[in-house]
Amino acid sequence: MGKLLAVGTLAFDAIESPFGKTDKILGGAATYIGLAAANFKVETGLVSIVGDDFPQEYIDILTQKGINLDGVEVVKGGKTFFWSGKYHLDMNTRDTLATELNTLADFSPVVPEGFKDADIVMLGNLHPSTQLSVINQMEKRPKLIILDTMNFWMDNSLEELKEVIKHIDVITLNDEEARQLTGKYSLVRAAQEIEKMGPKYVVIKKGEHGALLFHDQNIFFAPALPLEEVFDPTGAGDTFAGGFAGYLAATENISFENLKNAVIQGSNLASFCVEKFGTERMVTLTREEVDQRLLQFKELTQFNIELQ
Amino acid sequence: MGKLLAVGTLAFDAIESPFGKTDKILGGAATYIGLAAANFKVETGLVSIVGDDFPQEYIDILTQKGINLDGVEVVKGGKTFFWSGKYHLDMNTRDTLATELNTLADFSPVVPEGFKDADIVMLGNLHPSTQLSVINQMEKRPKLIILDTMNFWMDNSLEELKEVIKHIDVITLNDEEARQLTGKYSLVRAAQEIEKMGPKYVVIKKGEHGALLFHDQNIFFAPALPLEEVFDPTGAGDTFAGGFAGYLAATENISFENLKNAVIQGSNLASFCVEKFGTERMVTLTREEVDQRLLQFKELTQFNIELQ
């Protein structure tokens, strides 16, 4: 059983979609990463920050999944990061209605002693300097450092982002972000450019159109499972990342062949995440459901052509 | 070796893309279908119409690939169908600059005697009544009738389209067209609705995002091969259809498992089509290149997860 350290937000989310709207519910990148990784035999520790308005009920949801929260700072009198967004019918675009950084504005992550030797580090979407600080606190080079980021940091902190990218092994970002980061329209070329910046592996997330894994001349593709209804895409990307990282930590195998499997595992878990609002589906998810849907992924993608 | 009958346009195309522009070159659905099917051991006959401005050189390209043109009417003094379009950088949208129906305006297809017993019929994108007329001329029910269509017929000839759809086995259309035809946003639900209209199999083409095959509760997905450059998407959908139909005719096996393979073969051939302007790449394509790229498709999609 490997050890996974993940840094990211714990948050309140308020979500509107064509299917309804929520009050403030449990959200945040670290939450989704932790819940996804909890589907594998892995020791997961989260590094994050909340205010004392973050309810015990949410803490319990995470700890009951076996997630270690020693690295979560609770700021007395502080308020937890809040995000609100609205999805349109196509679910690929969303409007941010509110972002209140609150305690996140002064987040200085502290990696707990017990996770300074983690095998895998998952740097959830945060300021690149915060991500770099986590790397610098590790007592030995982790076997694999995975970084998720987004266009906001390319717009506002590009140099810091490029610096942290030098130190990682895997980057995950979406197709538009890959294009923005490189100025290349072709995703094949964009991935080649990103590999020159540092990461050996590039994962380009395309939402309902699946995810691509690039490594040298190799490309692997995992579709998103076609669903009758996508209810709420919030957290799907973080769930993908958490499943990807959690599977690699559990299997203790970072070969390209196993990274392919990790992409499938991440895609599989993300397909559950979007079925209900927020974390609802991830909290109730069982091993049997996960395995059952993995068989669907096999049926969806596997074929057997004999060359004529 | 099975027999494939395909109906569709033979055309002049003039294409603009970010990579350049062409004068009038060989185009048309039947052209691309025939060239794609020619990669398999199949006897292919085309039903179409041209004017006597259609050059012998183009005729030779098709006949040298072993394509039977007994069903192609040449109208003396007539002009061949002409289409002109312009692609933008994302290659998913195009503007039609000109459409001159010419001889196509009075096209009344005549299936040659030698193909009235074809195993597979591929109805390329045309007026639905023209497509239906081909079905009605077959002397026995083909093993499989495949129909390709587009939004233009949904806008202008919906009742005729619904009529011909009742008589076919496989429909191919793109994601937006599937949504328009059914009023369902979810492609899973759209496919379910289309199956109720007649076809047992629904293929939804998503361009650079691949293609989905639906049948009852089964779904299969084939990605598009990620390419460094998509040069000209013209004919990719018809090439997909021609590869799909040609492979099924050659293997004489219309099981769902083999339809999966046919989707991969169609996607594989389409990946070549877009590499150069018009039919240029399809004309020079060799069996070895096709097989080599099939291996790339395997590497792109095949994984081996052992359930824990």
Side-chain angles (χ1 to χ4, degrees):
Chain A
M1 179 157 80
K3 206 182 270 189
L4 169 67
L5 176 71
V7 60
T9 53
L10 297 173
F12 292 123
D13 284 351
I15 301 158
E16 285 186 49
S17 90
F19 302 103
K21 62 186 288 184
T22 69
D23 290 328
K24 286 186 178 184
I25 57 173
L26 174 60
T31 302
Y32 285 103
I33 291 168
L35 290 175
N39 290 285
F40 305 101
K41 289 175 183 137
V42 58
E43 198 181 339
T44 302
L46 300 187
V47 172
S48 192
I49 191 166
V50 293
D52 54 11
D53 58 347
F54 197 72
Q56 186 62 36
E57 174 199 348
Y58 290 175
I59 300 282
D60 293 345
I61 285 174
L62 298 169
T63 53
Q64 280 165 15
K65 291 278 184 183
I67 299 166
N68 182 302
L69 301 184
D70 290 352
V72 177
E73 182 185 351
V74 182
V75 179
K76 288 217 170 139
K79 289 178 72 180
T80 300
F81 172 59
F82 171 66
W83 175 82
S84 177
K86 179 176 179 171
Y87 294 91
H88 303 286
L89 187 60
D90 75 356
M91 294 288 183
N92 282 328
T93 55
R94 70 182 181 192
D95 298 330
T96 291
L97 303 177
T99 306
E100 297 171 12
L101 287 181
N102 299 328
T103 54
L104 193 66
D106 302 310
F107 180 36
S108 182
V110 178
V111 177
E113 286 303 322
F115 282 89
K116 285 187 174 170
D117 62 348
D119 306 289
I120 305 230
V121 171
M122 175 72 232
L123 303 168
N125 174 43
L126 280 173
H127 192 293
S129 301
T130 307
Q131 294 176 316
L132 187 58
S133 151
V134 169
I135 297 176
N136 289 336
Q137 293 176 57
M138 301 305 289
E139 70 189 20
K140 58 167 191 172
R141 176 64 163 79
K143 287 180 193 151
L144 201 74
I145 303 176
I146 306 159
L147 176 139
D148 186 51
T149 190
M150 66 182 295
N151 53 356
F152 181 84
W153 310 113
M154 298 170 197
D155 294 335
N156 296 292
S157 308
L158 184 58
E159 289 315 307
E160 293 96 324
L161 179 61
K162 285 187 173 170
E163 180 57 31
V164 67
I165 285 179
K166 286 183 197 165
H167 297 84
I168 62 166
D169 304 298
V170 186
I171 188 169
T172 71
L173 72 184
N174 75 28
D175 41 4
E176 285 314 309
E177 290 158 354
R179 288 172 175 139
Q180 178 174 347
L181 186 59
T182 61
K184 301 287 179 190
Y185 188 82
S186 155
L187 297 180
V188 177
R189 292 201 173 157
Q192 289 167 350
E193 289 298 312
I194 295 172
E195 286 185 30
K196 288 181 196 159
M197 298 178 186
K200 290 187 289 291
Y201 304 96
V202 177
V203 176
I204 298 182
K205 301 174 289 184
K206 303 199 296 170
E208 65 164 323
H209 300 304
L212 286 158
L213 168 66
F214 294 89
H215 173 55
D216 285 342
Q217 299 303 308
N218 302 301
I219 311 179
F220 178 68
F221 176 80
L225 196 74
L227 296 170
E228 290 203 15
E229 213 72 86
V230 171
F231 205 77
D232 170 21
T234 307
D238 297 315
T239 299
F240 173 89
F244 179 83
Y247 178 78
L248 291 174
T251 52
E252 303 186 69
N253 173 351
I254 56 169
S255 67
F256 182 68
E257 283 305 310
N258 206 44
L259 262 70
K260 288 183 180 184
N261 293 340
V263 169
I264 294 288
Q265 297 278 6
S267 300
N268 189 40
L269 290 172
S271 79
F272 288 104
C273 179
V274 303
E275 288 184 335
K276 296 199 173 179
F277 270 121
T279 59
E280 193 179 344
R281 189 70 181 87
M282 300 312 290
V283 170
T284 62
L285 190 59
T286 67
R287 183 78 242 163
E288 289 66 34
E289 290 173 317
V290 172
D291 286 348
Q292 184 58 40
R293 194 165 285 184
L294 275 175
L295 294 178
Q296 280 183 264
F297 263 88
K298 284 208 167 188
E299 285 171 16
L300 181 65
T301 57
Q302 307 298 286
F303 59 90
N304 193 14
I305 290 180
E306 289 169 30
L307 297 182
Q308 294 178 308
Chain B
M1 182 157 78
K3 206 182 268 189
L4 169 66
L5 176 72
V7 61
T9 53
L10 296 174
F12 292 122
D13 284 350
I15 301 158
E16 286 185 50
S17 90
F19 302 102
K21 61 186 288 186
T22 69
D23 289 328
K24 285 187 178 184
I25 57 174
L26 173 59
T31 302
Y32 285 102
I33 292 168
L35 290 174
N39 290 284
F40 304 100
K41 289 175 184 137
V42 57
E43 198 181 339
T44 302
L46 300 187
V47 173
S48 193
I49 190 166
V50 293
D52 55 11
D53 58 348
F54 197 72
Q56 186 62 36
E57 173 199 351
Y58 290 174
I59 300 281
D60 293 345
I61 285 174
L62 297 170
T63 53
Q64 280 164 14
K65 291 278 183 182
I67 300 166
N68 181 303
L69 301 182
D70 289 351
V72 176
E73 182 186 351
V74 182
V75 179
K76 288 219 168 137
K79 289 179 71 180
T80 300
F81 172 58
F82 170 66
W83 175 82
S84 176
K86 178 177 180 171
Y87 294 91
H88 304 284
L89 187 59
D90 74 356
M91 294 289 183
N92 282 328
T93 55
R94 69 180 183 195
D95 298 330
T96 291
L97 302 177
T99 306
E100 297 171 12
L101 287 181
N102 299 328
T103 53
L104 193 66
D106 301 310
F107 179 35
S108 182
V110 178
V111 177
E113 285 303 320
F115 281 88
K116 284 187 174 171
D117 62 348
D119 307 287
I120 306 233
V121 171
M122 175 72 232
L123 304 168
N125 174 42
L126 280 173
H127 192 294
S129 301
T130 308
Q131 294 176 316
L132 188 58
S133 148
V134 169
I135 297 176
N136 289 336
Q137 292 176 57
M138 303 305 290
E139 69 189 21
K140 58 166 191 173
R141 175 65 164 79
K143 287 180 194 150
L144 202 73
I145 303 177
I146 307 160
L147 175 139
D148 186 50
T149 190
M150 67 182 295
N151 53 356
F152 180 82
W153 309 113
M154 297 171 198
D155 294 335
N156 297 291
S157 308
L158 185 59
E159 288 316 306
E160 293 97 323
L161 179 61
K162 285 186 173 172
E163 181 58 31
V164 67
I165 285 179
K166 286 182 197 165
H167 297 84
I168 63 166
D169 303 298
V170 186
I171 187 170
T172 71
L173 73 183
N174 76 27
D175 41 3
E176 286 315 309
E177 290 157 354
R179 288 174 175 138
Q180 178 175 346
L181 186 59
T182 62
K184 301 287 179 191
Y185 187 82
S186 155
L187 297 180
V188 176
R189 293 202 173 156
Q192 289 165 349
E193 290 298 313
I194 295 171
E195 286 186 29
K196 289 181 198 161
M197 298 178 185
K200 289 187 290 290
Y201 305 96
V202 177
V203 176
I204 298 182
K205 301 174 287 183
K206 304 199 296 171
E208 65 164 323
H209 299 304
L212 286 157
L213 167 66
F214 294 89
H215 172 57
D216 283 342
Q217 298 303 309
N218 303 301
I219 311 179
F220 179 69
F221 176 81
L225 196 74
L227 296 170
E228 291 203 17
E229 215 72 86
V230 171
F231 205 78
D232 170 20
T234 308
D238 296 315
T239 299
F240 173 89
F244 179 84
Y247 178 77
L248 291 174
T251 52
E252 303 187 67
N253 172 352
I254 56 169
S255 67
F256 181 69
E257 284 305 309
N258 205 45
L259 262 70
K260 289 183 179 183
N261 293 339
V263 169
I264 294 287
Q265 297 278 6
S267 299
N268 188 40
L269 291 171
S271 79
F272 289 104
C273 179
V274 303
E275 288 184 334
K276 296 198 174 179
F277 271 122
T279 59
E280 193 179 344
R281 189 69 181 87
M282 299 312 292
V283 170
T284 62
L285 191 58
T286 66
R287 183 77 241 166
E288 290 67 32
E289 290 174 316
V290 172
D291 286 348
Q292 184 59 39
R293 194 165 285 186
L294 275 175
L295 294 177
Q296 279 184 263
F297 263 88
K298 284 209 167 190
E299 285 171 17
L300 181 65
T301 57
Q302 308 297 286
F303 59 90
N304 192 14
I305 289 179
E306 290 170 30
L307 296 182
Q308 293 178 307

